[in-house]
């Protein structure tokens, strides 16, 4: 698989769109998952993931073959999502624009589907309490098992900055979870809360 | 020992020394808030590990290919518009420079403004009489044409011209608005 992927990368660097299409097929889930965890919305995640692959395709000549492709493309995804979140924060949102979040669940059992949905919602609220940069570091650490060095390379930070961000993020997440444990309704209130208040 | 140090040890991923681990364990037996933080983080970590990757909707790669095609077409059109404007700009500037040079040459050949005005009026009069002559010749040609060439032949010629124009418009539409050029290049 590694050799096949290497061949795809070589062809894609020469401008072969079909070979890059195969890379899109192979990496769509990791990239989409990162975008979803960062943005918290399926439509935005789809749009962001598509844009990430477009940017990667246009920058293939700048891709360093010594570096794993997964690290490189997830780095592009993280930077793009961070920029989106920052732009989003500067734009006032009206109540009418708040989307209803539909989480797709393939589980056949209603109880399992419900607990999966609840779990996803809890994860979304927890990640939403973090800043964009901290969120990216957390997602890369806990979903992709990136080392501190890999996260530092992906986010253009020093290793000590990554450690500091992750530590701060863990504190924030633990505090958020503690509040949720003391007041289980806090999760429900947060979801329905208008950003106007 | 500083409480903040215990808070750091609780959430660190670096392995603690045996002394540090012992001190932390002892601290947790007495500190309620640290116990809460430790339990909270443990649950959050467990929650993160329990969630799997989220898949995109089916057909993601196909949608990306369509997006790439649309992007390429957009860039091609942008490039062509830029080239058209560049050619137009160069032509316009050249025409203006030529006009200025010609005007300068003409003005240099007159001694005063009156002479120039008289010359200009003479030129306009000659132009108007030429236009009148052309109009007379055209009318004669049209009358002769209508008499000599049958009406049905005129209709055939006109219809052919209209069909050719429509074909041309249709081809342009296919090339520029439906990505016909891009699709041909790809295959």
């Amino acid at each position: 698989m590694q050799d096949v992927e290497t061949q795809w990368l070589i062809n894609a660097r020469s401008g072969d769109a079909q070979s890059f299409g195969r890379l899109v097929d192979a990496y769509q889930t990791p990239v989409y998952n990162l975008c979803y965890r960062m943005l918290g919305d399926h439509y935005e995640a789809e749009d962001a993931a598509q844009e990430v692959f477009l940017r990667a395709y246009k920058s293939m000549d700048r891709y360093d073959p010594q570096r794993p492709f997964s690290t490189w493309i997830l780095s592009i995804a993280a930077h793009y999502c961070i920029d989106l979140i920052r732009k989003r924060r500067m734009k006032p949102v009206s109540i009418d624009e708040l989307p209803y979040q539909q989480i797709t669940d393939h589980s056949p059992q209603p109880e399992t589907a419900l607990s999966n949905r609840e779990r996803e919602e809890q994860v979304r609220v927890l990640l939403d309490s973090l800043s964009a940069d901290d969120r990216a570091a957390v997602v890369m650490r806990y979903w992709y098992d990136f080392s501190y060095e890999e996260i530092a390379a992906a986010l253009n930070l020093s290793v000590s900055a990554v450690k500091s961000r992750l530590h701060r993020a863990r504190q924030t997440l633990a505090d958020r979870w503690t509040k949720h444990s003391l007041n289980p309704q806090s999760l429900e209130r947060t979801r329905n809360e208008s950003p106007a208040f | 020992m500083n409480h903040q140090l215990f808070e750091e040890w609780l959430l660190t991923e670096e392995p603690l020394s045996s002394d540090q681990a012992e001190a932390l364990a002892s601290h947790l037996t007495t500190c309620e808030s640290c116990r809460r933080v430790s339990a909270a983080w443990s649950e959050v970590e467990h929650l993160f590990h329990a969630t799997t990757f989220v898949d995109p909707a089916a057909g993601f790669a196909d949608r990306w290919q369509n997006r790439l095609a649309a992007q390429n077409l957009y860039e091609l059109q942008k490039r062509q518009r830029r080239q058209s404007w560049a050619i137009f700009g160069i032509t316009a500037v050249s025409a203006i420079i030529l006009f200025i040079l010609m005007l300068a040459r003409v003005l240099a050949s007159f001694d005063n403004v009156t002479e120039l005005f008289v010359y200009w009026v003479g030129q306009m009069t000659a132009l108007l009489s030429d236009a009148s002559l052309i109009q007379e010749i055209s009318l004669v040609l049209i009358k002769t044409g209508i008499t000599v060439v049958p009406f049905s032949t005129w209709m055939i010629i006109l219809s052919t011209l209209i069909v050719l124009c429509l074909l041309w418009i249709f081809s342009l539409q296919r090339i520029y608005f439906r990505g016909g050029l891009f699709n041909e290049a790809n295959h």
Side-chain angles (χ1 to χ4, degrees):
Chain A
M1 178 63 186
Q2 199 69 14
D3 292 334
V4 174
E5 191 179 297
T6 308
Q7 193 54 51
W8 291 343
L9 283 166
I10 292 167
N11 294 343
R13 287 187 81 206
S14 319
D16 182 1
Q18 250 187 343
S19 295
F20 194 86
R22 295 200 174 99
L23 290 169
V24 170
D25 222 13
Y27 287 94
Q28 59 179 290
T29 298
V31 170
Y32 179 84
N33 180 71
L34 187 141
C35 294
Y36 177 69
R37 297 298 171 199
M38 289 292 289
L39 303 171
D41 176 73
H42 283 287
Y43 301 111
E44 283 191 38
E46 160 88 13
D47 195 56
Q50 295 272 337
E51 183 62 28
V52 162
F53 280 114
L54 259 180
R55 288 181 177 207
Y57 177 68
K58 283 179 190 160
S59 322
M60 275 310 286
D61 53 337
R62 275 178 268 156
Y63 163 64
D64 178 9
Q66 303 301 318
R67 209 177 155 193
F69 182 75
S70 57
T71 314
W72 183 67
I73 195 138
L74 289 174
S75 165
I76 296 174
H79 282 293
Y80 182 70
C81 291
I82 288 168
D83 287 340
L84 276 184
I85 291 168
R86 285 183 186 150
K87 280 182 199 159
R88 197 205 273 170
R89 289 250 156 96
M90 289 172 69
K91 218 170 61 158
V93 176
S94 81
I95 287 171
D96 298 326
E97 282 178 29
L98 290 175
Y100 171 66
Q101 309 260 4
Q102 180 79 29
I103 295 164
T104 315
D105 182 63
H106 306 293
S107 167
Q109 305 299 328
E111 297 84 11
T112 317
L114 183 63
S115 71
N116 280 344
R117 258 202 300 278
E118 280 175 355
R119 197 160 50 222
E120 286 292 340
E121 186 63 17
Q122 285 171 341
V123 168
R124 190 188 69 78
V125 171
L126 282 169
L127 290 176
D128 216 38
S129 66
L130 300 173
S131 70
D133 298 291
D134 290 357
R135 199 182 307 177
V138 163
V139 170
M140 286 179 167
R141 183 79 179 150
Y142 293 101
W143 272 269
Y144 298 88
D145 288 328
F146 274 22
S147 65
Y148 291 136
E149 289 74 22
E150 284 172 324
I151 297 174
L155 299 179
N156 292 335
L157 296 169
S158 63
V159 172
S160 56
V162 168
K163 286 182 184 175
S164 164
R165 280 190 184 277
L166 281 172
H167 191 270
R168 184 174 63 212
R170 284 191 282 268
Q171 266 176 332
T172 307
L173 291 167
D175 285 342
R176 194 80 177 86
W177 187 261
T178 308
K179 282 186 189 130
H180 167 57
S181 305
L182 292 173
N183 181 8
Q185 299 305 313
S186 70
L187 182 63
E188 191 66 37
R189 198 182 302 146
T190 307
R191 187 174 50 213
N192 296 328
E193 196 170 83
S194 164
F197 300 102
Chain B
M1 209 173 262
N2 191 350
H3 189 264
Q4 203 178 349
L5 200 58
F6 289 120
E7 287 175 357
E8 275 179 35
W9 288 351
L10 267 178
L11 298 174
T12 186
E13 286 183 331
E14 311 287 331
L16 299 175
S17 67
S18 53
D19 288 343
Q20 287 171 335
E22 209 180 300
L24 180 61
S26 170
H27 175 75
L28 284 174
T29 57
T30 55
C31 181
E32 170 70 28
S33 82
C34 283
R35 267 204 307 277
R36 232 189 335 244
V37 168
S38 175
W41 173 244
S42 178
E43 287 185 55
V44 169
E45 203 176 13
H46 180 260
L47 177 68
F48 284 172
H49 288 309
T51 47
T52 53
F53 275 23
V54 178
D55 292 316
F60 181 90
D62 291 332
R63 287 194 295 281
W64 182 79
Q65 292 284 3
N66 292 338
R67 194 167 172 140
L68 178 65
Q71 179 78 8
N72 285 340
L73 180 62
Y74 168 75
E75 277 167 14
L76 176 70
Q77 288 170 343
K78 204 167 130 180
R79 212 168 29 245
Q80 285 170 340
R81 264 198 301 272
R82 230 181 288 141
Q83 280 167 358
S84 302
W85 277 111
I87 291 168
F88 173 75
I90 291 167
T91 312
V93 166
S94 307
I96 290 168
I97 291 170
L98 261 172
F99 177 74
I100 291 170
L101 284 172
M102 276 170 55
L103 190 65
R105 204 175 165 167
V106 166
L107 289 173
S109 64
F110 295 102
D111 294 329
N112 54 51
V113 178
T114 314
E115 216 179 292
L116 173 65
F117 182 71
V118 165
Y119 172 77
W120 182 75
V121 167
Q123 288 299 306
M124 287 296 115
T125 313
L127 197 67
L128 282 169
S129 76
D130 287 343
S132 172
L133 185 63
I134 290 168
Q135 190 188 7
E136 274 179 45
I137 293 169
S138 305
L139 279 169
V140 166
L141 280 173
I142 288 168
K143 280 180 187 160
T144 313
I146 288 169
T147 317
V148 168
V149 179
F151 179 72
S152 55
T153 310
W154 283 118
M155 289 309 296
I156 290 166
I157 292 168
L158 264 172
S159 308
T160 311
L161 282 172
I162 288 169
V163 166
L164 286 172
C165 279
L166 285 172
L167 269 172
W168 182 50
I169 291 167
F170 176 70
S171 311
L172 277 177
Q173 207 182 25
R174 267 201 71 102
I175 290 167
Y176 286 110
F177 295 112
R178 293 187 191 176
L181 187 67
F182 173 76
N183 285 335
E184 279 167 31
N186 233 7
H187 297 302

